[in-house]
Amino acid sequence: MGGDRVVCGMTAAAGRIAYLATTPYSVGDLILRDATGEETRLASYALEGAEPYLPRARVFTAPDGRQVEGFVLRDESIPGPGPLLLDVHGGPHNAWAPVFDAAHLYHQALAAKGWTVLTVNPRGSDGYGEEFYTAARGAWGLADAGDLLAPVEELVAEGVADPERLAVTGYSYGGYMACMLPAMTGRFRAAVAGGCVSDLAGMAGTSDLGHFLVEHECGGAPERQSPVSYLDEVRTPTLLLHGLDDVRCPPGQAERWFAGLRERGVPARLVLYPGASHLFILNGRPSHRLDYNERIIAWLEQWIPDAGPDGSPS
C-alpha cells in the first residue's frame, strides 16, 4: 500500500509490470509500467458522477502505548457528536485501506445519514511488520481489543462520536470481534456479526481450517478466547448474518451465538443465506450482497436513534 493507492495484483514480463490498483475514486485501474517508470492506464473502473466520502487516516494509541492506524469516514460538514460504527476487518491478518470499498457500501450510506464509520488495523493486521502481525497469536480478542476500543474512546473524547450511539460490526474475524467486544463493554448499543466465530473449541472440528486456527493462531487454548465463554456479560442487541454453505466459519457458529443470546433475553436475529460461502459478501449473489448491506443499516437504525441534520438525535 502506498498513499491512497492499493495494489491488488501484479504481473511482470519483458521489463514491464502490469498491476491492478484501487484508489479513493476507483474500484480498479489496470496500469502498465515500463522500465523507465512511465505508466499507462489501460483500463479504469472509476466512479463517475459520484462523490464518495473519503476515509481519513488517523493514528490512535492503545492502552499499552502501541500505536495503531485507523481511518475515519464521515460527512465532515456535520458538526457535533453523532452515531459511530466501529467496523472490524477479517483475518485477523487483513487490513483496511483508504480506498473506495465496493464490498462495504453501507459505509457510504451511513455517512450520508450522519454516521461516522471507524475502521482500525489492530495488532494482527497485515502491512506493519512481523511482530505486529503475530502480536495477537494466542490471545485473540484479548490482545487486540484495546486497539479497537481505544480509538472509539478517542473519538468520543473529541466530540465526534456520541457515547450513547455506538455500534460494532465486522465479518469473519470481524464478526468474531462483534461478538467478543460487547462481552467486554456495555458501550455498544447494537452489534452486527457477519460470518462470525463464537466457539473456537467447536470450530476446531467443523471448520476447514479449524485445527490449524485453534493450534496455530489460538495457541491451543481456545476457551478463554471464545465469545461463548463470556455470553453472560452480553446485553447488546445483535444481528447475525451468515452463509449457509460457509465451511470456513460454519453456520453453527452463528446459531450457537444466536441461541445463547435468546436464552438470556438479549434481542437477536439470525439470517442465513442459502448457497452462500464464506466469501459471499465479496463474490456471492448480488441479491445477497445487497441484502447484507441493507440489513446492517436497518438493524442500526432500529436500535440507535437517527442522526439529525446537525448530527444530533432526531
Side-chain angles (χ1 to χ4, degrees):
M1 183 171 68
D4 60 358
R5 186 166 67 174
V6 175
V7 175
C8 307
M10 180 183 298
T11 186
R16 297 185 298 175
I17 296 173
Y19 65 92
L20 184 67
T22 57
T23 74
Y25 297 99
S26 174
V27 296
D29 291 342
L30 180 59
I31 300 171
L32 181 67
R33 172 181 286 195
D34 63 23
T36 69
E38 183 177 349
E39 293 188 342
T40 302
R41 183 177 285 104
L42 304 178
S44 177
Y45 295 93
L47 303 173
E48 296 184 2
E51 286 293 331
Y53 297 99
L54 302 180
R56 305 297 184 184
R58 288 278 305 267
V59 174
F60 298 98
T61 303
D64 64 357
R66 182 186 291 270
Q67 291 191 322
V68 295
E69 185 176 31
F71 305 95
V72 178
L73 185 147
R74 64 191 302 268
D75 183 344
E76 296 178 359
S77 69
I78 298 178
L84 177 140
L85 175 67
L86 169 66
D87 200 338
V88 187
H89 67 62
H93 309 307
N94 204 325
W96 295 107
V99 296
F100 185 77
D101 190 339
H104 301 84
L105 291 175
Y106 57 88
H107 289 181
Q108 295 288 327
L110 288 170
K113 292 172 176 284
W115 282 71
T116 293
V117 178
L118 170 64
T119 54
V120 180
N121 290 334
R123 62 198 76 190
S125 300
D126 288 346
Y128 301 93
E130 182 178 359
E131 190 277 330
F132 194 88
Y133 183 88
T134 59
R137 182 176 293 170
W140 275 24
L142 304 172
D144 49 358
D147 298 352
L148 297 163
L149 296 176
V152 173
E153 296 304 328
E154 282 194 43
L155 293 181
V156 169
E158 292 172 9
V160 172
D162 182 344
E164 298 302 320
R165 291 186 288 165
L166 305 176
V168 61
T169 189
Y171 193 85
S172 193
Y173 188 83
Y176 160 83
M177 291 301 293
C179 297
M180 194 70 155
L181 291 178
M184 297 180 170
T185 175
R187 278 295 220 181
F188 298 111
R189 296 292 186 258
V192 182
C196 76
V197 174
S198 63
D199 181 4
L200 285 163
M203 189 173 172
T206 56
S207 167
D208 63 344
L209 281 183
H211 179 75
F212 169 82
L213 290 173
V214 170
E215 291 300 316
H216 182 70
E217 288 287 347
C218 300
E223 287 79 10
R224 73 185 187 97
Q225 299 166 69
S226 292
V228 292
S229 298
Y230 311 98
L231 251 173
D232 288 340
E233 307 302 320
V234 180
R235 298 292 181 271
T236 304
T238 301
L239 170 65
L240 295 136
L241 305 172
H242 216 102
L244 197 54
D245 288 356
D246 189 339
V247 296
R248 180 60 45 82
C249 302
Q253 293 289 319
E255 293 167 340
R256 175 73 177 87
W257 193 248
F258 173 71
L261 294 179
R262 291 293 296 267
E263 289 169 357
R264 290 160 176 78
V266 179
R269 182 176 299 163
L270 171 63
V271 179
L272 297 173
Y273 293 87
S277 72
H278 187 60
L279 297 180
F280 85 92
I281 67 167
L282 300 179
N283 57 20
R285 298 177 190 172
S287 59
H288 285 174
R289 286 181 275 158
L290 175 61
D291 186 81
Y292 184 90
N293 279 262
E294 290 180 336
R295 284 185 185 273
I296 291 176
I297 296 170
W299 187 259
L300 297 181
E301 292 183 336
Q302 176 180 346
W303 292 100
I304 294 179
D306 293 339
D310 60 351
S312 61
S314 61

